[in-house]
Amino acid sequence: MRDEWEHAHTDYTTPAQRRIPTSLAESESDWRRYLECSTPNGWLIRHNAMTAALVSGQPMYLLHTTKDIDAIRTSGELHVSTGCLIGALYCSPLASQRQGLRPHNLGTYLMRTKPSTTPMVFEVTPDAAIRPKGVDYLHLGAIHLRTYLRYQSFLTPAENDQLHRSVLDGLRAAAVFLDIALRNAVGHATPASEFLDQLSDAVLHVPFLGYLYFEVVSEYLMLHSATPETKTYAQAGELNNWLYKRLAFAAVDSMDQLFDLARFNPRHHRLVQLIEGMEPALGPGVAEYVRRRLSHLFAQTALHPSQDAASVTFQGADLNTLRKAAPGLIGQMIFREIRYMPRYRHLYHCFEKAKALEAWDYWNNEGIPTPFNGILPKGEIGINPVYPRSAVRAWAAERDAQGYLHPTEELTAILTPHLASWWAPPRQRETQNTTEESRLDLVSHPTGS
């Protein structure tokens, strides 16, 4: 169990150590070197303001936005959300300056796009320097699978049968593309335009691919962008979060009403058009980057590390075989499929609290009071609600005309290990007619994420 949580975390201040399947054309270390040394903003992976604050051991200031400030005052409690931070209070960093607390560009985005929310400032005083290990939700598949297998007795036989059928149907419909992705991962390149069009079709059957697709394009934008806006944020030690937010809303109609990355599936021509519309110089390279990077990450996150990627095939394989060969993918598919069961909203806390308890235990033993989203250290950071060795204070805050925050009212509310209520976005195929016209995800990007 601990090995699985270790596998799902990344420390960008140390060399890559994660076990990956054999036969891949590029190792995780190869990709780390490329991302850090061969992209304009790659230096921010290791040398960013958030990581510096974590390892300093000094008090950290974090921004959280809420629609329920009165309920927090009344109850004296704050509940944590699931999603990319599993079971933490979702925040973004604040920098203490003479003028006040300066929000990270992610926090600025959240306040500007959620004007009806109240900003809260948290001061987290750790007991020591914090290990800069971030959790990568793309690597949680094996944990999702193990949690389901442990608690599948909570479902009726009919529900389990339906779940298995849905997952197997999705695998069969996307099997040809999944095998193509593995072939690309081991070095047999296919044309990038064809790859992206096949990927777009496969997302409908395997929604996890939409999350993977979005994160790869987001990484490409954040690391390669050279706009004045991006350079300004880089000078402050920050990756530019506005890029992937704009991408999501441009790629999918009504994404502002339903942020669901299962709907992120632009075809090749559309993707190039989107990127050129944001930053023309990045259009020519995006398709090939997605082909290489997504193929590698798919093999790395889908397959068990003991597997030979060159020997695995999804075509004709049964579910039991794939549970062993590709537990990461099966777990991600089960996690996303089970949410649509009518009874799941009543069982949600059983499955999600089980994972949160394990994450809290891992973080406590690793000295992590403030876990962050480790796909990249881009500023999505949370507060561990049960860390026993740090002090946490909270204030309601106001924002001045220059954008700085100023605490105005200290709150007696405490963080509790209770998960906020949760819902599932409508199933993609139920909204297919509308989404196909346009061709973070509530789970990777919950409210405030």
Side-chain angles (χ1 to χ4, degrees), residues 180-222:
I180 288 172
L182 288 184
R183 288 202 298 273
N184 277 266
V186 300
H188 302 292
T190 56
S193 58
E194 295 178 16
F195 182 90
L196 262 65
D197 286 345
Q198 291 169 318
L199 167 63
S200 175
D201 293 335
V203 169
L204 180 63
H205 307 291
V206 180
F208 174 63
L209 292 172
Y211 298 67
L212 199 60
Y213 190 3
F214 177 77
E215 297 295 356
V216 166
V217 182
S218 299
E219 176 187 81
Y220 177 78
L221 284 170
M222 285 187 285

Coordinates of all heavy atoms in Angstrom, one line a residue, residues 180-222:
I180 N -2.1 1.2 -30.2 CA -1.4 2.1 -31.0 C -0.5 3.0 -30.1 O 0.6 3.3 -30.3 CB -2.3 3.0 -31.9 CG1 -2.8 2.2 -33.0 CG2 -1.6 4.2 -32.4 CD1 -3.9 2.8 -33.9
A181 N -1.2 3.4 -29.0 CA -0.4 4.3 -28.0 C 0.8 3.5 -27.4 O 1.8 4.1 -27.3 CB -1.4 4.7 -26.9
L182 N 0.6 2.2 -27.1 CA 1.7 1.4 -26.6 C 2.8 1.3 -27.6 O 4.0 1.4 -27.3 CB 1.2 0.1 -26.1 CG 0.4 0.0 -24.8 CD1 0.1 -1.4 -24.4 CD2 1.1 0.7 -23.7
R183 N 2.4 1.1 -28.9 CA 3.4 1.0 -29.9 C 4.2 2.3 -30.1 O 5.4 2.2 -30.3 CB 2.8 0.6 -31.3 CG 2.3 -0.9 -31.3 CD 2.1 -1.4 -32.8 NE 1.2 -0.6 -33.5 CZ -0.2 -0.8 -33.5 NH1 -0.6 -1.8 -32.8 NH2 -1.0 -0.1 -34.2
N184 N 3.5 3.4 -30.0 CA 4.2 4.6 -30.0 C 5.1 4.8 -28.8 O 6.2 5.4 -28.9 CB 3.2 5.8 -30.1 CG 2.7 6.1 -31.5 OD1 3.3 6.9 -32.2 ND2 1.7 5.3 -31.9
A185 N 4.7 4.3 -27.7 CA 5.5 4.4 -26.4 C 6.8 3.7 -26.5 O 7.8 4.0 -25.9 CB 4.7 4.0 -25.2
V186 N 6.8 2.6 -27.3 CA 8.0 1.8 -27.4 C 8.8 2.1 -28.7 O 9.8 1.5 -29.0 CB 7.7 0.3 -27.4 CG1 7.0 -0.1 -26.1 CG2 6.9 -0.1 -28.6
G187 N 8.4 3.2 -29.4 CA 9.3 3.7 -30.4 C 8.8 3.6 -31.8 O 9.4 4.0 -32.8
H188 N 7.6 3.0 -32.0 CA 7.1 2.8 -33.4 C 6.1 4.0 -33.7 O 4.9 3.9 -33.5 CB 6.3 1.5 -33.5 CG 7.2 0.3 -33.2 ND1 8.3 -0.1 -34.0 CD2 7.2 -0.6 -32.2 CE1 8.9 -1.1 -33.5 NE2 8.3 -1.5 -32.4
A189 N 6.6 5.0 -34.2 CA 5.9 6.3 -34.4 C 4.8 6.1 -35.5 O 5.1 5.6 -36.5 CB 6.8 7.4 -34.7
T190 N 3.7 6.7 -35.2 CA 2.6 6.8 -36.2 C 2.4 8.3 -36.5 O 2.8 9.2 -35.7 CB 1.3 6.2 -35.7 OG1 0.9 6.8 -34.5 CG2 1.4 4.7 -35.5
P191 N 1.8 8.7 -37.6 CA 1.6 10.1 -37.9 C 0.8 10.8 -36.8 O -0.2 10.3 -36.4 CB 0.8 10.1 -39.3 CG 1.2 8.8 -39.9 CD 1.4 7.8 -38.8
A192 N 1.3 11.9 -36.4 CA 0.7 12.6 -35.3 C -0.7 13.0 -35.5 O -1.6 12.9 -34.6 CB 1.5 13.9 -34.9
S193 N -1.1 13.4 -36.8 CA -2.4 13.8 -37.1 C -3.4 12.6 -36.9 O -4.5 12.8 -36.4 CB -2.5 14.4 -38.5 OG -2.1 13.4 -39.4
E194 N -3.0 11.4 -37.4 CA -3.8 10.3 -37.3 C -3.9 9.9 -35.8 O -5.0 9.5 -35.3 CB -3.2 9.1 -38.1 CG -3.2 9.3 -39.6 CD -2.6 8.1 -40.3 OE1 -2.4 7.1 -39.7 OE2 -2.2 8.3 -41.5
F195 N -2.8 10.0 -35.1 CA -2.8 9.6 -33.7 C -3.9 10.5 -32.9 O -4.6 10.0 -32.1 CB -1.4 9.8 -33.1 CG -1.3 9.4 -31.6 CD1 -1.0 8.1 -31.3 CD2 -1.5 10.4 -30.6 CE1 -0.8 7.8 -29.9 CE2 -1.4 10.0 -29.3 CZ -1.0 8.7 -28.9
L196 N -3.8 11.8 -33.1 CA -4.7 12.7 -32.4 C -6.2 12.4 -32.8 O -7.1 12.5 -31.9 CB -4.4 14.1 -32.6 CG -3.5 14.7 -31.5 CD1 -2.1 14.0 -31.5 CD2 -3.3 16.2 -31.7
D197 N -6.5 12.1 -34.0 CA -7.9 11.9 -34.4 C -8.4 10.6 -33.8 O -9.5 10.5 -33.3 CB -8.0 11.8 -35.9 CG -7.9 13.2 -36.6 OD1 -8.0 14.2 -35.9 OD2 -7.7 13.2 -37.8
Q198 N -7.5 9.5 -33.7 CA -7.9 8.3 -33.0 C -8.0 8.5 -31.5 O -8.9 7.9 -30.9 CB -6.8 7.2 -33.4 CG -6.8 6.8 -34.8 CD -5.6 5.9 -35.2 OE1 -4.5 6.2 -34.8 NE2 -5.9 4.9 -35.9
L199 N -7.1 9.3 -31.0 CA -7.3 9.6 -29.5 C -8.6 10.3 -29.3 O -9.3 10.0 -28.3 CB -6.1 10.5 -29.1 CG -6.2 11.2 -27.8 CD1 -6.2 10.2 -26.6 CD2 -5.0 12.2 -27.6
S200 N -9.0 11.2 -30.1 CA -10.2 12.0 -29.9 C -11.4 11.0 -29.9 O -12.3 11.1 -29.0 CB -10.4 13.0 -31.0 OG -11.7 13.6 -31.0
D201 N -11.4 10.0 -30.8 CA -12.5 9.1 -30.8 C -12.5 8.1 -29.6 O -13.5 7.8 -29.0 CB -12.4 8.2 -32.1 CG -12.7 9.0 -33.3 OD1 -13.3 10.0 -33.3 OD2 -12.1 8.6 -34.4
A202 N -11.3 7.8 -29.1 CA -11.2 6.9 -28.0 C -11.6 7.5 -26.7 O -12.0 6.7 -25.7 CB -9.7 6.3 -27.9
V203 N -11.5 8.8 -26.5 CA -11.9 9.4 -25.3 C -13.3 9.1 -24.9 O -13.6 8.9 -23.7 CB -11.7 11.0 -25.3 CG1 -12.3 11.7 -24.1 CG2 -10.2 11.3 -25.4
L204 N -14.2 9.0 -25.8 CA -15.6 8.7 -25.5 C -15.8 7.4 -24.8 O -16.6 7.2 -24.0 CB -16.4 8.7 -26.9 CG -17.9 8.4 -26.7 CD1 -18.6 9.5 -25.9 CD2 -18.5 8.3 -28.1
H205 N -14.9 6.4 -25.2 CA -15.0 5.1 -24.6 C -14.1 4.9 -23.3 O -14.5 4.1 -22.5 CB -14.6 4.0 -25.6 CG -15.3 4.2 -26.9 ND1 -16.7 3.9 -27.0 CD2 -14.9 4.6 -28.2 CE1 -17.1 4.1 -28.3 NE2 -16.0 4.6 -29.0
V206 N -13.0 5.6 -23.2 CA -12.2 5.6 -22.1 C -11.9 7.0 -21.6 O -11.0 7.7 -22.0 CB -10.8 4.9 -22.4 CG1 -9.9 4.8 -21.2 CG2 -11.1 3.5 -23.0
P207 N -12.8 7.5 -20.8 CA -12.7 9.0 -20.4 C -11.4 9.4 -19.8 O -11.0 10.5 -19.9 CB -13.9 9.1 -19.4 CG -14.9 8.0 -19.8 CD -14.0 6.9 -20.2
F208 N -10.7 8.4 -19.1 CA -9.4 8.8 -18.6 C -8.5 9.4 -19.6 O -7.6 10.2 -19.3 CB -8.8 7.5 -17.9 CG -7.4 7.7 -17.5 CD1 -7.1 8.6 -16.4 CD2 -6.3 7.0 -18.0 CE1 -5.8 8.8 -16.0 CE2 -5.0 7.2 -17.6 CZ -4.7 8.1 -16.5
L209 N -8.6 9.0 -20.9 CA -7.8 9.5 -21.9 C -8.0 11.0 -22.1 O -7.1 11.7 -22.5 CB -8.0 8.8 -23.2 CG -7.6 7.3 -23.3 CD1 -8.1 6.7 -24.6 CD2 -6.1 7.2 -23.2
G210 N -9.2 11.5 -21.8 CA -9.4 12.9 -21.9 C -8.7 13.7 -20.9 O -8.1 14.8 -21.1
Y211 N -8.5 13.1 -19.7 CA -7.8 13.7 -18.6 C -6.3 13.8 -19.0 O -5.6 14.8 -18.8 CB -7.9 13.0 -17.3 CG -9.3 13.0 -16.8 CD1 -10.4 12.3 -17.4 CD2 -9.7 13.6 -15.6 CE1 -11.7 12.3 -16.9 CE2 -10.9 13.6 -15.0 CZ -11.9 12.9 -15.7 OH -13.2 12.9 -15.2
L212 N -5.8 12.6 -19.5 CA -4.4 12.5 -19.9 C -4.1 13.5 -21.0 O -3.1 14.2 -21.0 CB -4.1 11.1 -20.3 CG -2.7 10.6 -20.4 CD1 -2.0 10.7 -19.0 CD2 -2.7 9.1 -20.9
Y213 N -5.0 13.6 -22.0 CA -4.9 14.5 -23.1 C -4.8 15.9 -22.7 O -3.8 16.7 -23.0 CB -6.1 14.3 -24.0 CG -6.1 14.9 -25.4 CD1 -5.0 15.6 -25.9 CD2 -7.2 14.8 -26.2 CE1 -5.0 16.2 -27.1 CE2 -7.2 15.4 -27.5 CZ -6.1 16.1 -27.9 OH -6.1 16.7 -29.2
F214 N -5.7 16.3 -21.8 CA -5.7 17.7 -21.3 C -4.4 18.0 -20.5 O -3.8 19.1 -20.7 CB -6.9 17.9 -20.4 CG -6.9 19.3 -19.8 CD1 -7.4 20.4 -20.5 CD2 -6.6 19.5 -18.4 CE1 -7.4 21.7 -20.0 CE2 -6.6 20.7 -17.9 CZ -7.0 21.8 -18.6
E215 N -4.0 17.1 -19.7 CA -2.8 17.4 -18.9 C -1.5 17.5 -19.7 O -0.6 18.3 -19.5 CB -2.6 16.3 -17.8 CG -3.7 16.3 -16.7 CD -3.8 17.5 -15.9 OE1 -3.0 18.4 -16.0 OE2 -4.8 17.6 -15.1
V216 N -1.4 16.7 -20.8 CA -0.3 16.8 -21.7 C -0.3 18.1 -22.4 O 0.8 18.7 -22.6 CB -0.3 15.6 -22.7 CG1 0.7 15.8 -23.8 CG2 0.0 14.3 -21.9
V217 N -1.4 18.5 -22.9 CA -1.4 19.8 -23.7 C -1.2 21.0 -22.7 O -0.5 21.9 -23.0 CB -2.8 20.0 -24.4 CG1 -2.8 21.3 -25.2 CG2 -3.0 18.8 -25.4
S218 N -1.7 20.9 -21.5 CA -1.5 21.9 -20.5 C 0.0 22.0 -20.2 O 0.6 23.1 -20.1 CB -2.2 21.6 -19.2 OG -3.6 21.5 -19.4
E219 N 0.7 20.9 -20.0 CA 2.1 20.8 -19.8 C 2.9 21.5 -20.9 O 3.8 22.3 -20.7 CB 2.6 19.4 -19.6 CG 4.1 19.2 -19.5 CD 4.4 17.7 -19.5 OE1 4.5 17.1 -20.6 OE2 4.6 17.1 -18.4
Y220 N 2.5 21.2 -22.2 CA 3.1 21.8 -23.3 C 3.0 23.3 -23.3 O 4.0 24.0 -23.5 CB 2.4 21.2 -24.6 CG 3.0 21.8 -25.9 CD1 4.2 21.4 -26.4 CD2 2.2 22.7 -26.6 CE1 4.6 21.9 -27.6 CE2 2.7 23.3 -27.8 CZ 3.9 22.9 -28.3 OH 4.3 23.4 -29.5
L221 N 1.8 23.8 -23.0 CA 1.6 25.2 -23.0 C 2.4 25.9 -21.9 O 3.1 26.9 -22.1 CB 0.1 25.5 -22.8 CG -0.8 25.3 -24.0 CD1 -2.3 25.4 -23.6 CD2 -0.5 26.4 -25.1
M222 N 2.3 25.4 -20.7 CA 3.0 26.0 -19.5 C 4.5 26.0 -19.7 O 5.2 27.0 -19.3 CB 2.6 25.3 -18.2 CG 1.2 25.7 -17.8 SD 0.8 25.0 -16.1 CE 0.6 23.3 -16.5

